[in-house]
Amino acid sequence: MRRKLLLGNWKMNKTPTEAVEFAKEAKELGKLARSNKVDMGVCVPAVDLAPVKKILKNTLIVGAENCHYEEKGAYTGEISIPMLKDLNIDWVIIGHSERRTYDNETSEKCNKKILALLKNNMVPVYCCGESLETFENNGTREFVKEQIITGLKDVSKEDAMKVVIAYEPIWAIGTGKNASTEIAEDVCGYIRKVLRDIYGAKVANKIRILYGGSVKPNSVKAYLSQKDIDGALVGGASLDVNSYKELLTSYIY
Ligand code: PGA
């Protein structure tokens, strides 16, 4: 059985002061999530990692939104894996479409980051998803397949099970136009087939696949009830602590 996973993605939101306020209020959620067999967490801006982790410790997952694949060196503005490890941060979003669009993040580059994270026993949350144009031209499957194959190149069977995939159609992110549960399940099921073709059924059945794109408390349960959707990556609705809490409560109650 794959455990459900609800992961917030704050993007470039919340100062450390605001982040601390949120963390103090969200702390209590950990117990509820655990007793309902749900993994829950937030991926936060780099400057928020230390203060948020300090408060949430082992109650909720605290993840980063990006990292570099090199251990150290002349990469101004970047964050290394050893820096994250030093803060006990084990989860990192890789290849979010906003980074692919604005920061020239390619699937090849994501692959280097994923391999580096796995080497360090960390969890990459690898994002994939197509543009509106690709969607309208029925190109979703081919596009996503390429992202998965390139992003996971040279990842062993054993390591593949530690990866989390997030399917996030670009046209559904922050737009309020979420993909229907049918579309989301169709693509997530297809992603599992691609994983099955690479790694075999046993491994593919262990990999968690999330849907992301305008997920709200009132839609989270419908997504998580789909066979191949194991959780959600949530942007906007993870910023307000009450709506963040509701993501969990609307799923479990
Ligand atoms: P959204 O963002 O929930 O605000 O659409 C999702 C994401 O980008 O991860």
Side-chain angles (χ1 to χ4, degrees), residues 9 11 96 98 168 172-174 213-215 233-236:
N9 171 17
K11 312 190 179 188
H96 189 280
E98 285 147 18
E168 299 205 307
I173 296 176
S214 299
V215 175
L233 184 56
V234 185

Side-chain angles (χ1 to χ4, degrees), residues 47-100:
V47 291
D48 297 338
L49 285 168
V52 170
K53 182 69 183 177
K54 198 170 162 202
I55 296 166
L56 296 180
K57 285 191 193 95
N58 301 320
T59 58
L60 294 178
I61 296 161
V62 180
E65 297 176 10
N66 180 38
C67 70
H68 200 279
Y69 50 85
E70 293 290 355
E71 275 200 8
K72 59 178 169 178
Y75 299 99
T76 303
E78 295 287 346
I79 296 152
S80 74
I81 289 173
M83 291 171 191
L84 296 175
K85 289 214 80 136
D86 192 68
L87 296 177
N88 292 316
I89 301 295
D90 293 323
W91 290 62
V92 186
I93 296 177
I94 296 295
H96 189 280
S97 63
E98 285 147 18
R99 294 202 57 82
R100 290 182 189 260

Side-chain angles (χ1 to χ4, degrees), residues 19-53:
V20 163
E21 250 171 65
F22 179 108
K24 282 184 185 158
E25 285 186 56
K27 200 175 164 186
E28 65 190 54
L29 270 188
K31 225 169 144 188
L32 184 63
R34 242 192 326 278
S35 61
N36 285 279
K37 297 193 170 60
V38 177
D39 290 335
M40 189 152 187
V42 275
C43 294
V44 306
V47 291
D48 297 338
L49 285 168
V52 170
K53 182 69 183 177

